[in-house]
Amino acid sequence: MTRLPVSTAREAAALSRRLLRQRPWALALCLLMFAIEGLAGLVAPWMLGRIVDVVVDGGPAADITPAVLWILGAALVGGLATYLSVAFLARTAEPALADLRETVLERALSLEAAELEASGSGDLLSRVGDDVRLITESFTEVIPILVNSVVAVVFTVVGLFALDWRLGLAGLGAVPFYVMALRWYLPRSGPYYRREREANSERAEALVTGLHASRTLRAYGIGAQHQELTTAASWRSAQLSIDVFRLLTRFYGRNNRAELIGLLLILGTGYALVSRSLVTVGAVTAAALLFHRLFNPIGAILALFDAVQSAGASLVRLVGLAQLPAPVPVHGPERPADGRLVVRDLHHEYVADRPAVDSVSLDVAPGHRVAVVGASGAGKTTLGAAIAGRLAPTRGSVSLGGVPLARVDGDGRPPVAIVSQEVHVFAGTVRDNLTLAAPSAPDTALLAALDAVGARSAVEALPDGLSTVVGDGARTLTPALAQQVALARVLLADPVVVVLDEATAEAGSAGARSLERAADAVTARRTSLTIAHRLTQAVDAHEIVVMDAGRVVERGSHDDLVAVRGMYAELWAAWSGR
């Protein structure tokens, strides 16, 4: 399986900086608030040290009051700065994240079908799902804690040296042990997170494949085998998460050891200095409190390497998608003279030297309907995808009204619309599902389109009619009604050419006739290509094209092809029972 591209860490960092710099004032104010919050955090340890000196020296109780007021004031300032820092971070990060999500979605929607098939849909779904979620959580939860912790560490170290340079050096004595802990952890955790993201992709692929192919799996009695594959993929992902947690626990132990060593160094150095009257007890107390105050920030920084590593693994996957070439705008668009569809020497190979479509040529007159028939694997769907512009053929050309398909300007109309047997009902109202094709269409036009495909009465019978919420988590439409809504959407879009790729296959026998009538309404007086699952769809076509092994082996009207007693005649005999 070919993976979708993944960026380098440097490329991901460069893109992140570019997105964040689009709002410089919000970013500057955010950093300023973080700095004020860090400075406010130094006040309490310093003032507590001063209180200790007052008590040790037997000073008046009135000398304690200013220190208490300083602590209270610093707490208020620190709280306000914390609130403002998060607010300005949201103003900086959320728009940047939205830009990244939109870019990723745009690139994902422009991927060729062959690329998706080669990489598997699970990889793409895990990126736009799990990876986006992890990055979002990082911006809203991880980054504020991380920045706060870094600022607190830097200012606290400065505060230690301000008390006494020897106490500062004693505190720095713990740094090598923190570094050793990180050097042990980082090389081990990074590969784990990359493998975890890949395992999540494989798990998603197994789940999606099982859902989409559930009927086939049950029909062939291999559901249990696929369940075992899904279970294995899920356990691989879970096992990696467990291994990461074990690694993290050992890392925390090394972190606690560094904390103990640092605190002992400060207390030992402080005892030696106080015994020689080089510093006061209050100064040592303040130093110990300052260093103790570092436990949470340093622990947070080290612990957040877990989240940062995970978010980094997700970020490079998202940036890998975002760096894909943007869709190239059409240069020199032209309006087609009419609806004539011409296919010349179309050839496509998914695998080298194994053509799915081999040298196919068609010439469909405006308003004519061509039916493509053949056994499964004959190349019908590949031909339809190439004509619809969903697939860039290996070689050959498709033109509409004398204009290459890529340069067609439909004057507000899509050049080609394709409806397959696997239609998607979008989460929203029935009205939302229809106005995707015509955003400004009034309800009267929506109802007219539904009426044309025979679905108006069914939609009006829904609890709220056009306003009924359907899709994931809401009302489920029957396969036949979902297909009729998709066909009504085509009528509203009013394309020049329609490709129906077995668009009535999912309805079952009960809904087949109604869907065939709906398909007739969509293709009436419109150039169309029908990939026929039911041969009754081919009977009235202006021309029938019979494909086998990627090639056109017969073409003609229904009566002519039955008369020559070739492949189509055999298919018709098997279908009709004659």
Side-chain angles (χ1 to χ4, degrees):
M1 182 180 291
T2 304
R3 296 287 180 190
L4 291 171
V6 175
S7 75
T8 64
R10 180 173 296 180
E11 290 170 338
L15 179 61
S16 300
R17 286 195 299 270
R18 188 162 62 249
L19 291 173
L20 291 173
R21 286 173 180 171
Q22 292 177 0
R23 295 157 186 87
W25 285 108
L27 179 61
L29 290 172
C30 173
L31 296 176
L32 176 62
M33 291 301 107
F34 277 122
I36 293 174
E37 181 183 355
L39 288 171
L42 297 179
V43 174
W46 274 71
M47 292 299 107
L48 287 172
R50 181 170 295 181
I51 290 172
V52 168
D53 282 339
V54 171
V55 172
V56 170
D57 296 338
D63 289 349
I64 297 177
T65 303
V68 173
L69 293 176
W70 269 101
I71 293 173
L72 292 175
L76 292 174
V77 171
L80 179 61
T82 300
Y83 169 78
L84 292 175
S85 65
V86 174
F88 286 121
L89 177 64
R91 288 180 174 272
T92 305
E94 291 294 344
L97 182 61
D99 291 343
L100 177 60
R101 283 198 301 259
E102 290 174 4
T103 302
V104 168
L105 182 60
E106 179 188 12
R107 301 296 189 272
L109 292 175
S110 64
L111 285 172
E112 294 287 348
E115 293 179 82
L116 283 177
E117 290 176 0
S119 62
S121 55
D123 189 15
L124 178 60
L125 287 175
S126 68
R127 296 193 191 208
V128 299
D130 289 344
D131 291 336
V132 167
R133 176 182 57 79
L134 281 170
I135 296 298
T136 302
E137 290 175 355
S138 296
F139 271 118
T140 57
E141 299 173 12
V142 175
I143 289 181
I145 298 174
L146 184 62
V147 175
N148 270 331
S149 300
V150 170
V151 170
V153 168
V154 172
F155 285 176
T156 300
V157 171
V158 173
L160 282 173
F161 275 93
L163 287 168
D164 188 275
W165 63 272
R166 288 157 292 200
L167 292 174
L169 288 178
L172 290 181
V175 171
F177 297 94
Y178 284 118
V179 173
M180 288 168 59
L182 276 178
R183 290 189 64 182
W184 177 87
Y185 175 69
L186 291 181
R188 290 169 172 80
S189 61
Y192 268 111
Y193 282 112
R194 286 192 292 273
R195 291 200 297 270
E196 186 182 30
R197 297 269 71 78
E198 292 172 359
N200 288 345
S201 297
E202 293 171 2
R203 180 186 60 188
E205 178 67 22
L207 289 171
V208 170
T209 300
L211 289 172
H212 286 178
S214 58
R215 295 181 182 178
T216 303
L217 294 172
R218 287 195 297 268
Y220 285 95
I222 56 176
Q225 292 92 317
H226 188 79
Q227 178 64 40
E228 291 176 1
L229 292 174
T230 305
T231 300
S234 298
W235 180 245
R236 279 194 298 273
S237 176
Q239 187 61 55
L240 281 168
S241 297
I242 293 171
D243 292 343
V244 167
F245 186 77
R246 288 173 178 164
L247 191 70
L248 190 61
T249 302
R250 295 170 65 187
F251 172 58
Y252 285 154
R254 286 168 167 78
N255 180 32
N256 292 336
R257 181 180 63 190
E259 292 173 348
L260 175 62
I261 291 172
L263 189 56
L264 290 175
L265 286 172
I266 284 183
L267 291 176
T269 302
Y271 177 80
L273 294 174
V274 169
S275 62
R276 297 177 184 177
S277 301
L278 296 176
V279 297
T280 65
V281 175
V284 176
T285 302
L289 290 173
L290 283 172
F291 189 80
H292 187 275
R293 179 179 177 271
L294 286 179
F295 286 7
N296 286 338
I298 292 179
I301 292 173
L302 300 181
L304 285 177
F305 271 104
D306 178 68
V308 169
Q309 291 273 79
S310 182
S314 295
L315 183 61
V316 294
R317 283 158 54 82
L318 287 177
V319 174
L321 276 180
Q323 289 183 329
L324 288 173
V328 180
V330 176
H331 293 289
E334 301 178 39
R335 293 186 183 178
D338 51 33
R340 179 176 292 277
L341 176 67
V342 177
V343 179
R344 286 283 178 264
D345 297 321
L346 194 72
H347 184 96
H348 187 70
E349 297 176 356
Y350 295 105
V351 179
D353 300 323
R354 293 176 58 185
V357 172
D358 190 8
S359 302
V360 172
S361 295
L362 298 174
D363 191 338
V364 186
H368 278 214
R369 175 181 166 194
V370 170
V372 182
V373 302
S376 179
K380 307 185 299 297
T381 295
T382 301
L383 175 63
I387 291 174
R390 285 190 172 186
L391 180 71
T394 306
R395 62 176 180 268
S397 64
V398 179
S399 64
L400 183 59
V403 180
L405 186 61
R407 296 215 315 268
V408 170
D409 176 7
D411 191 22
R413 301 168 62 192
V416 184
I418 185 170
V419 182
S420 70
Q421 60 180 320
E422 296 180 357
V423 298
H424 181 74
V425 178
F426 295 91
T429 65
V430 176
R431 181 183 292 103
D432 293 335
N433 273 266
L434 293 171
T435 53
L436 285 171
S440 59
D443 284 359
T444 52
L446 305 184
L447 292 172
L450 290 171
D451 194 30
V453 299
R456 178 169 180 168
S457 59
V459 170
E460 290 180 333
L462 294 174
D464 298 309
L466 288 172
S467 300
T468 303
V469 179
V470 296
D472 291 343
R475 191 179 189 88
T476 301
L477 300 182
T478 64
L481 184 54
Q483 195 70 269
Q484 286 172 311
V485 169
L487 291 170
R489 199 157 48 218
V490 173
L491 281 178
L492 291 165
D494 191 24
V496 181
V497 176
V498 174
V499 176
L500 301 181
D501 184 1
E502 299 185 353
T504 65
E506 288 291 313
S509 299
R513 290 186 179 181
S514 62
L515 280 185
E516 286 174 7
R517 288 194 294 270
D520 289 340
V522 170
T523 58
R525 299 179 300 279
R526 196 190 311 271
T527 307
S528 65
L529 184 83
T530 301
I531 297 171
H533 175 74
R534 300 173 181 274
L535 290 189
T536 51
Q537 296 175 278
V539 173
D540 297 325
H542 293 90
E543 183 181 34
I544 299 171
V545 174
V546 184
M547 293 188 68
D548 183 45
R551 288 180 169 272
V552 175
V553 294
E554 293 178 1
R555 61 199 321 161
S557 67
H558 170 77
D559 293 337
D560 291 342
L561 292 178
V562 169
V564 299
R565 299 183 179 276
M567 180 180 288
Y568 180 80
E570 293 178 6
L571 292 172
W572 176 252
W575 173 262
S576 62
R578 300 171 188 167

